[in-house]
Amino acid sequence: SDYQQLGYNLRINLFQGGPLKSRSLMRDSYTPDIFQKAVIDPRYWHGRTINELGRWYEKYFLDLNVQKAMKEKYG
């Protein structure tokens, strides 16, 4: 009957949780030696060195300060 079917559905484990071992497309796409050869250089960030980023921010904030000063002086 409907009652027995409802009881059966409640007894089985419908929500078993996530997998015990996670998988990613990147890990599955490359062989393990690629990850062993990879060297993480903290000075190199997405194709730019920290020095380049620092110089860019220095110029950016200098430009902002000049714009503020011009606005205060000339309106």
Side-chain angles (χ1 to χ4, degrees):
S1 70
D2 292 337
Y3 181 76
Q4 289 175 344
Q5 186 66 29
L6 177 64
Y8 172 76
N9 289 334
L10 291 175
R11 283 192 305 271
I12 62 172
N13 189 3
L14 296 176
F15 304 105
Q16 298 175 6
L20 296 177
K21 183 179 178 185
S22 63
R23 298 179 65 185
S24 71
L25 181 62
M26 188 181 84
R27 291 268 179 204
D28 292 342
S29 300
Y30 296 103
T31 55
D33 62 321
I34 294 293
F35 299 106
Q36 292 168 358
K37 290 179 188 174
V39 176
I40 299 172
D41 188 3
R43 294 171 298 167
Y44 194 73
W45 182 77
H46 292 286
R48 295 183 180 177
T49 61
I50 297 296
N51 293 336
E52 290 174 1
L53 285 174
R55 275 188 243 120
W56 184 88
Y57 276 109
E58 186 178 354
K59 290 178 184 177
Y60 173 72
F61 286 116
L62 182 64
D63 184 50
L64 284 180
N65 290 338
V66 168
Q67 286 179 3
K68 283 182 192 177
M70 295 287 280
K71 192 179 283 187
E72 287 175 4
K73 186 171 185 176
Y74 297 111

